[in-house]
């Protein structure tokens, strides 16, 4: 095997899907959106990628109301994905119903207990040389997110154990201002400054990847890049007004491909959901450009 081939063999591809908001059969989200149909198209798009992903992470709001029947449907919808699928809670989820619906996902088991008895879903999994570290920003019963000291202590310990090794941190609520007024009002309300300090002290954190926003946003954060991802169905309206009212648009859905190689670190692509015409060649067989 050539050196290049060895390096290529170590490439890791992590697909990020987010905010699937699955409802029971026959129910539409917000009486308008067939979220299951959107997820089916995203999964078809992921399965059609030229290089299959090593793993998929779904960064929260897996279902719309945290109900067992919704998680059962999500389970059915995710079944075509043969690679590991890592699930995380968002503000629409219920931690215990999520755990109950995916009992074979051992990484969802409690690893941390808060003083009120709650057990956030925070875990580390290895995808080849890459570590995926998830943070739970959920405040049950509320739309906004928080990161208390205990959750951040846990992160600091996990990162200290992995110094120098590539890490992607995943969380539902992004740790940055989006400028979309109504979403910032239900954004991450605590822990942002300390999270930024922790990330800055660990330059091996390649990305902080998030959901919640139902559109693609990229921001400098703690010396790395923090980003959100489109949803599989509805997108939050692009309205950069502090008084923007809560609304969504049926803009094109999509997903992210976070590809890591030892030479490049993480390279993130934004992919539209669906099947499209092509590929068409740029060149004639003889090498000339087609005008
Ligand atoms: Fe959402």
């Amino acid at each position: 095997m050539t050196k290049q081939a060895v390096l290529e063999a170590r490439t890791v591809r992590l697909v990020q899907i987010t905010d699937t908001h699955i409802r029971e059969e026959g129910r539409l989200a917000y009486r308008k959106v067939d979220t299951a149909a959107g997820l089916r198209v995203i999964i078809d798009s992921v399965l059609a990628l030229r290089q299959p992903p090593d793993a998929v992470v779904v960064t929260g709001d897996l279902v719309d109301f945290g109900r067992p029947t919704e998680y059962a449907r999500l389970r059915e919808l995710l079944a075509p994905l043969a690679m590991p699928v890592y699930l995380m809670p968002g503000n629409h989820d219920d931690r215990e119903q999520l755990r109950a619906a995916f009992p074979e996902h051992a990484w969802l088991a409690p690893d941390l207990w808060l003083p009120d008895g709650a057990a956030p879903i925070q875990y580390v999994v290895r995808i080849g040389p890459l570590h995926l570290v998830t943070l739970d920003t959920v405040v049950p019963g509320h739309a906004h997110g928080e990161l208390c000291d205990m959750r951040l202590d846990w992160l600091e310990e996990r990162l200290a154990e992995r110094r120098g090794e590539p890490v992607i941190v995943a969380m539902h609520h992004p740790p940055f201002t989006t400028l979309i007024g109504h979403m910032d009002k239900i954004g991450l309300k605590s822990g942002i400054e300390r999270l930024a300090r922790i990330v800055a002290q660990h330059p091996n954190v390649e990305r902080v990847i998030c959901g919640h926003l139902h559109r693609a946003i990229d921001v400098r954060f703690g010396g790395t890049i923090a980003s959100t991802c489109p949803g599989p169905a509805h997108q939050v309206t692009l309205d950069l007004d502090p008084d923007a009212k809560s609304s969504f648009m049926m803009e094109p859905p999509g997903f992210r491909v976070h590809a890591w190689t030892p030479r490049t670190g993480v390279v993130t692509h934004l992919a539209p959901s669906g099947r499209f015409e092509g590929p068409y060649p740029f060149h004639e067989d003889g090498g000339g450009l087609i005008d």
Side-chain angles (χ1 to χ4, degrees), residues 175-246:
F176 54 78
T177 299
T178 66
L179 303 179
I180 300 176
H182 66 97
M183 291 307 290
D184 287 336
K185 289 186 181 100
I186 56 164
L188 191 62
K189 296 292 183 198
S190 67
I192 294 177
E193 292 78 15
R194 185 172 169 214
L195 175 64
R197 281 199 302 278
I198 294 170
V199 169
Q201 286 160 5
H202 296 85
N204 53 317
V205 175
E206 292 270 349
R207 286 287 186 284
V208 177
I209 63 171
C210 314
H212 196 47
L213 260 297
H214 295 238
R215 56 185 318 110
I217 307 172
D218 307 276
V219 176
R220 178 166 62 177
F221 179 79
T224 190
I225 299 166
S227 62
T228 61
C229 176
H234 53 297
Q235 315 302 321
V236 169
T237 307
L238 178 54
D239 183 353
L240 305 184
D241 186 321
D243 298 318
K245 294 279 178 289
S246 173

Side-chain angles (χ1 to χ4, degrees), residues 107-140:
W107 48 87
L108 297 177
D111 192 32
L112 172 69
W113 284 265
L114 303 183
D116 65 359
I121 296 182
Q122 302 201 155
Y123 55 84
V124 186
V125 288
R126 235 192 131 117
I127 310 165
L130 184 70
H131 301 266
L132 174 68
V133 180
T134 74
L135 282 179
D136 183 333
T137 54
V138 172
V139 185

